[in-house]
Amino acid sequence: MEQDIDTASHTEGLNGLSLERTPLEEITNGRSNHKPVMNGVVIGQNGRDMTNGNAHLRSLPISALKQNGLLQTLATGGDQAKPTEEKENMELEKARQEWDALENILPALSEESVPTPLISFNEALQYFQTTDLGDLLKNIQPTVRRTGLAAITHFFFGPPRLHRELLEERDLVFAIAQCPVDNSQTVHMRVLQTIYKRLIGSRLDCPRYGSHWENIGFQGTDPATDLRGTGFLGLMHALYFVMDPEMLPLARDIYKLSQHPTQNFPFSVMSINMTRIALQVLREEALSKECNRRQQVVGVLNEFYVATYLHLYQLWKTQQKTIADSGFVLKEVEVFAKKNPKQMLRRLEVFLKEKQAGGIPRGTSPDPQVRQPSPSLGEQGARAGTAQASRAKEMHFTGVCDLPPDMEGEASLI
């Protein structure tokens, strides 16, 4: 039945929306002003809101709602997007979701994952120069204590005394040799990381403890346990070896030999032995003359350490030495180093010049199968070395220890 057009009718619209009809006789400016109302919102002709001109709502019939997409508009709370804009919006939303997922999957870079910068020898040395080492200086023994005839003989016929202005630098060296590794000191950790990365060729840090330290010739999971007898100076010398551009090629040659299938040896432990020998030569004042001439102690000791390692390297490579020969080789290197410090330094100088010139340095056989005589032993010494090696097959190269007072000058058969 048709209802009176003068009476406003209320019907239940789509999704519970209330639809109102106003009287058709309302005329504005001579025109019929029939305006459907939905929940108090006036709907204009052609589905446009005549109050503001925005197309928030469409025409009223359900079929029209379906046709013009009002259902979707109401669900999204806005205008229906154009097909192209809708597609672009969907792609942007998808990209945003993928990016959010990627951020959740990839771990954030932590402070520990950023590689620590390499440290130079001079920077590490400056750290010790500016650190209070007073307690360590009380325990150093910078010279060999001699009594009786040995003291008189050394005074008259021994090497010259170290200049007074160099005593403080010498004492610093022996204080560093008393300093243990401190995990709380950034410089200590950087020195360890630098040695490892320069030898391995890695840019990433390695854990403080672990079997990876054996890859560069330490004996266990903690390098600090191998530093008995040399303290942190053992690491300082290794740092100098790998950070000096002129010395680095030799360091890598020695490291390569230490990885040989049959001639292998623990690179870092052997390096610590070279530091121990260099310290003993300095303590016996055999380097005083060269230190006085160059007016420095640290630089001379660094080069003497490298010269000592070079001497061992040449013996080991040319005579096909193995780990079973280590005790005898260490003894031979120490005796020769104490008697010929100037010659050791001169050999290093010549070796580096020949290496830079692209030739084969003397004392290094290009053919590893060629067994050459020792640079410091005669035929009798070579035979003695062979006999010693045969008796040392069961010896293990286990570490560096402090030498008892009555063994000063003897090789450490680790």
Side-chain angles (χ1 to χ4, degrees), residues 350-365:
V350 172
F351 177 90
L352 293 176
K353 287 182 179 179
E354 293 178 349
K355 190 80 170 176
Q356 291 177 351
I360 300 175
R362 284 174 290 180
T364 304
S365 171

Side-chain angles (χ1 to χ4, degrees), residues 146-158:
R146 297 178 175 87
T147 58
L149 182 60
I152 297 174
T153 302
H154 181 77
F155 180 79
F156 287 104
F157 304 104

Side-chain angles (χ1 to χ4, degrees), residues 210-266:
S211 59
H212 52 273
W213 292 111
E214 297 176 8
N215 296 334
I216 61 172
F218 288 103
Q219 297 179 102
T221 60
D222 182 7
T225 59
D226 291 330
L227 296 173
R228 299 182 301 272
T230 65
F232 205 85
L233 187 66
L235 295 180
M236 289 292 286
H237 278 165
L239 178 67
Y240 169 77
F241 207 6
V242 299
M243 288 301 290
D244 186 279
E246 190 177 20
M247 304 295 180
L248 179 59
L250 175 59
R252 287 179 171 164
D253 285 345
I254 298 176
Y255 177 69
K256 182 178 180 180
L257 178 63
S258 74
Q259 305 295 306
H260 193 274
T262 58
Q263 290 189 267
N264 60 83
F265 58 87

